[in-house]
Amino acid sequence: MDIDTMRRKRDVNGLIGALSDPDTGIRQAAAEALGSVGDERALEALERLKFSDPDTEVRRAASVAHALVAGRLAEKKTVESLLLKT
């Protein structure tokens, strides 16, 4: 599974699917890639992973990625609300 290719192609569905991979490194890399892509479709899967994965590093990566995506979503909503006011 090539996480870097999925990240470059912004293949959010592929990366979300990789969060279920049996390989810890793949799950961790997929979570990190989803954080860098920043697509809100990943929020639910990252939220679930950050509490349920058996590996501490995967949970940490999912938590950081979730915060990044949520932050981008909040920024987007702020900008949209400012644009609507003008």
Side-chain angles (χ1 to χ4, degrees):
M1 190 168 300
D2 190 352
I3 299 298
D4 285 333
T5 299
M6 284 191 272
R7 181 184 49 77
R8 282 193 302 276
K9 291 182 175 183
R10 302 180 68 79
D11 180 4
V12 175
N13 291 329
L15 290 168
I16 289 171
L19 296 176
S20 300
D21 195 275
D23 184 289
T24 301
I26 296 289
R27 293 194 312 277
Q28 182 176 345
E32 291 167 353
L34 285 165
S36 72
V37 169
D39 192 297
E40 64 189 79
R41 292 176 290 169
L43 280 173
E44 185 179 318
L46 290 168
E47 174 87 17
R48 196 169 40 251
L49 192 68
K50 74 180 189 175
F51 292 114
S52 67
D53 198 272
D55 186 85
T56 305
E57 290 303 309
V58 174
R59 289 193 309 270
R60 181 201 56 77
S63 182
V64 169
H66 185 272
L68 288 170
V69 175
R72 285 195 188 108
L73 181 59
E75 286 176 14
K76 178 181 171 185
K77 286 183 178 182
T78 300
V79 168
E80 287 173 353
S81 71
L82 290 173
L83 292 173
L84 289 174
K85 290 180 182 178
T86 58

